[in-house]
Amino acid sequence: INSIKAFDLVCCTCALGLVFQSHRILATQHFLAVHVVVNTPLAMGGWAATRRVFRRPAFWVEALISLMHLPPNVTFTVGTESYVAGKNNFVLYRAENIFSVLSMLKIYQSWPLLREAVFMDLPK
C-alpha cells in the first residue's frame, strides 16, 4: 500500500506541474491577445506570466485538488454511529477509502482533453 501511496505522490506532483504549465500558457496567450488587439507593449518579461498564474484563484483551487493525496505511512480511521430501524450501526472508514473518494475530483482535470477530442471533428 505504501508503494501505491508513493506513486500517487509522484503523480500528484507531476499533475501540479502540468496544471501550472497550462495556467502559464493561458497567461501568455492573454498577454499576446492584449498586445495584438490593443497594440500595447508586450509584457512578456521573464516572470510576468508566472506572477499572473500565482495571482489567479483558479490555479490555487486546481493545485489544491491536484495535491490532495494520502502520504505514505499515514493512515487513520473515522467512525460514525447511526440509529437505523431500531438498531445502532457503527461504520468505520479507513483513510484510504476517504481519499479515494476525494481523488475522484481529479477527473475533472481531464475535461479539457475530452472537450477538445469531441469538438475536434465538428466543422468550424
Side-chain angles (χ1 to χ4, degrees):
I1 288 252
N2 284 328
S3 61
I4 294 172
K5 289 180 184 179
F7 179 69
D8 187 38
L9 174 65
V10 170
C11 289
C12 289
T13 306
C14 291
L16 179 64
L18 293 174
V19 165
F20 174 77
Q21 188 66 15
S22 70
H23 280 272
R24 196 170 136 273
I25 288 172
L26 287 175
T28 304
Q29 287 176 343
H30 173 75
F31 286 143
L32 287 173
V34 168
H35 171 68
V36 169
V37 172
V38 185
N39 199 17
T40 59
L42 189 58
M44 290 297 295
W47 296 98
T50 303
R51 283 193 306 264
R52 185 172 174 90
V53 168
F54 287 135
R55 281 190 237 134
R56 295 186 61 184
F59 167 73
W60 291 109
V61 170
E62 272 194 76
L64 181 68
I65 291 172
S66 295
L67 287 177
M68 189 170 28
H69 72 285
L70 190 64
N73 297 321
V74 174
T75 189
F76 58 88
T77 57
V78 176
T80 61
E81 189 173 340
S82 63
Y83 186 76
V84 178
K87 296 180 182 179
N88 283 336
N89 290 331
F90 188 76
V91 181
L92 193 63
Y93 299 102
R94 289 191 59 183
E96 289 82 2
N97 294 345
I98 295 169
F99 275 90
S100 67
V101 170
L102 293 176
S103 291
M104 296 300 288
L105 291 173
K106 295 177 186 180
I107 291 176
Y108 93 94
Q109 291 177 332
S110 64
W111 174 251
L113 296 173
L114 180 64
R115 184 186 61 211
E116 289 297 322
V118 168
F119 291 137
M120 188 169 36
D121 295 336
L122 293 176
K124 296 187 181 203

